[in-house]
Amino acid sequence: MDAAKKLEFHTIEDIYTLPDGLRAELIEGRIYYMAPPNTRHQKIVSDLHYQIKDFIRKNNGECEVFPAPFAVFLNRDDTNYVEPDLTVICDEKKITDKGCNGAPDWVIEIVSPSSRAMDYFTKLFKYRASGVREYWIVDPIKEMVMAYRFEKETMEQYSFGEDVPVGIYEGFSIKAQ
């Protein structure tokens, strides 16, 4: 491998200059291109988004939920940029016109065949290290939800159809399907 290619380092500026329609994320200066989501993926995102937004609204919550594409600048630097499938932010000072500056409170990723390693490994460690409080990996192929509650240092696994308690909200659970 060419040494220059091996050491290639990217910033958010490179993300902003991508051709229209091409989406990518940036972790520690490395670009990860994203495939378009399939219909099942989008149905899951829509359903979860609705359940979360409805709970927040009915409980006069101060958090906001955003579906992808929504920019998250994890470390408030120019080498980390992600677009989680769902992002919940409870500190309004982190929300700007460009997205979220800093770690969201809760992130949900819906696994697709092309994102499996990214969601289960790369993002898991990045989200934890950046201060995300809760991270869910929803896997439509395995029909499972992995719920990581970093503040409590717990991880629980649920099957689709089971109630999945939300760690950042007392008394709130969701059924992924």
Side-chain angles (χ1 to χ4, degrees):
M1 177 185 285
D2 182 281
K5 269 283 195 217
K6 187 176 181 183
L7 299 175
E8 196 169 336
F9 189 79
H10 297 277
T11 66
I12 293 200
E13 195 59 40
D14 296 309
I15 295 293
Y16 287 141
T17 60
L18 290 173
D20 285 346
L22 187 60
R23 288 179 51 215
E25 295 178 307
L26 182 68
I27 297 179
E28 302 300 329
R30 182 172 176 199
I31 289 181
Y32 296 88
Y33 293 97
M34 298 164 52
N38 65 30
T39 301
R40 185 167 188 207
H41 179 281
Q42 290 303 89
K43 283 182 177 182
I44 294 170
V45 169
S46 293
D47 182 56
L48 292 173
H49 180 256
Y50 173 79
Q51 290 183 65
I52 296 165
K53 187 163 187 76
D54 189 54
F55 178 85
I56 292 169
R57 184 181 51 77
K58 285 180 177 174
N59 291 279
N60 298 315
E62 296 181 9
C63 301
E64 291 195 53
V65 59
F66 299 92
F70 181 75
V72 175
F73 306 92
L74 279 174
N75 296 35
R76 299 176 192 242
D77 62 20
D78 68 346
T79 62
N80 291 280
Y81 167 95
V82 292
E83 292 182 2
D85 290 309
L86 288 164
T87 305
V88 178
I89 306 157
C90 300
D91 180 354
E92 68 181 28
K93 290 179 263 165
K94 290 182 178 182
I95 302 171
T96 70
D97 285 341
K98 289 191 172 193
C100 176
N101 282 316
D105 293 270
W106 180 18
V107 171
I108 300 174
E109 295 285 6
I110 315 302
V111 177
S112 63
S114 64
S115 73
R116 186 164 295 286
M118 184 73 148
D119 294 336
Y120 276 103
F121 300 105
T122 307
K123 286 185 177 179
L124 170 66
F125 294 111
K126 188 64 187 169
Y127 289 148
R128 182 181 184 142
S130 68
V132 170
R133 294 168 56 201
E134 186 162 355
Y135 174 45
W136 287 15
I137 302 171
V138 179
D139 193 327
I141 295 168
K142 293 181 179 180
E143 296 191 346
M144 307 217 36
V145 176
M146 307 292 287
Y148 294 87
R149 294 174 188 93
F150 297 133
E151 290 178 319
K152 296 178 181 175
E153 297 186 7
T154 65
M155 184 282 294
E156 294 174 329
Q157 182 176 303
Y158 302 87
S159 296
F160 275 22
E162 286 185 280
D163 284 329
V164 182
V166 177
I168 68 165
Y169 285 117
E170 190 72 30
F172 179 37
S173 64
I174 293 177
K175 283 187 183 180
Q177 345 199 16

